Amino acid sequence: FGEVIAALLAERGRVSRILADHGNDLGLLRHSVCAEIALDPDMTMERLVSEFCDDANFAPADLRRVCSILGDGGKGDKDAEALMAPWLSLPPEHRAGMIDDYLLAYLKKSDHEIRAKLVTKKIAEAMPDAPDIMLAEAGRCRQFVETRKAMAVAEATMALMGIGERLTARFERMKRLRNALDYDDLILKTRDLLSGEGAVNWVLYKLDGGIDHVLVDEAQDTNP
């Protein structure tokens, strides 16, 4: 947590600019964050889970048909049946706690990519539409995982920005009470000075009309 605070302090100029660009409205900023990662800003984790579990949003009858013959296949088929059957047998409102197990019937545990083989050749021969049924559900599972990750990113980002807003405001208040500036303030105030209309000409005038040479000491190319 200390490292997070230090990073926010180091980026407080950027945090302040982002907040200012959104009228210091964290709700408005959240909409921008969601747009950046193609996430519906009105989506909640509860709604995401509920929609995933709802029978109306997939083909449970077809999956039950596949599940009914997976026990006649190989080890992979039987493992998939053991993950699918309990979830499919539950009413939608009771499925949430078993989602992560259910996903493993279609996705690899390591990276949540779709498994290379969803059913064996024996199952595909016994039920020709089984591969397509499984692939359709695998795609739905993959989309669920991606949306869940995006929601985690959005929530973490907004949590950081919320902390950053409070931290920056408190830090600025402490400096004002002491009538103090720090090194980053000098950089930001110089940038602001040179960003104003006509400011460069004014600075050049104060420097006798021109600059012939500039010596920059201890500048780092990693500093934006």
Side-chain angles (χ1 to χ4, degrees):
F1 187 73
E3 292 178 5
V4 170
I5 297 299
L8 285 169
L9 279 173
E11 294 282 357
R12 67 183 181 281
R14 186 178 174 198
V15 170
S16 296
R17 288 195 300 276
I18 291 172
L19 289 168
D21 288 344
H22 294 83
N24 292 310
D25 184 338
L26 288 175
L28 188 60
L29 175 58
R30 186 178 186 279
H31 274 70
S32 292
V33 169
C34 289
E36 187 69 24
I37 57 177
L39 178 68
D40 178 358
D42 296 324
M43 179 61 73
T44 64
M45 191 61 72
E46 292 76 13
R47 177 183 152 197
L48 178 68
V49 169
S50 176
E51 290 181 355
F52 182 77
C53 296
D54 191 341
D55 283 350
N57 294 319
F58 67 113
D62 287 341
L63 288 166
R64 290 189 185 99
R65 282 198 300 115
V66 175
C67 209
S68 68
I69 67 166
L70 286 176
D72 298 329
K75 181 180 182 304
D77 297 318
K78 293 174 182 177
D79 288 344
E81 179 196 16
L83 295 166
M84 294 167 60
W87 195 83
L88 290 169
S89 67
L90 291 171
E93 62 271 20
H94 293 152
R95 290 172 177 164
M98 297 182 67
I99 285 180
D100 286 324
D101 287 337
Y102 178 70
L103 294 174
L104 296 179
Y106 312 91
L107 309 178
K108 292 185 287 185
K109 187 175 183 178
S110 57
D111 56 8
H112 285 107
E113 292 293 336
I114 295 175
R115 288 169 45 202
K117 182 180 288 188
L118 293 168
V119 295
T120 60
K121 183 179 178 181
K122 181 179 180 181
I123 296 299
E125 289 174 349
M127 184 183 292
D129 59 346
D132 289 339
I133 292 170
M134 292 289 285
L135 184 60
E137 182 66 354
R140 195 178 77 95
C141 290
R142 176 69 180 155
Q143 183 58 53
F144 170 82
V145 168
E146 289 301 303
T147 303
R148 188 168 64 175
K149 286 180 183 177
M151 291 191 68
V153 168
E155 290 172 7
T157 299
M158 294 312 302
L160 284 173
M161 292 304 295
I163 295 172
E165 179 189 40
R166 297 289 185 89
L167 185 66
T168 299
R170 179 169 293 189
F171 192 60
E172 293 301 318
R173 186 165 61 250
M174 290 171 63
K175 286 190 297 181
R176 282 198 302 273
L177 289 172
R178 292 163 175 77
N179 197 27
L181 297 173
D182 66 9
Y183 186 69
D184 285 337
D185 290 325
L186 303 182
I187 294 174
L188 296 174
K189 288 183 182 299
T190 301
R191 183 208 62 196
D192 293 342
L193 172 66
L194 296 175
S195 298
E197 186 175 353
V200 172
N201 290 333
W202 181 83
V203 171
L204 288 173
Y205 169 75
K206 299 300 271 186
L207 293 173
D208 296 324
I211 299 174
D212 295 320
H213 298 86
V214 176
L215 173 63
V216 182
D217 185 30
E218 295 188 26
Q220 299 181 35
D221 59 3
T222 57
N223 186 327

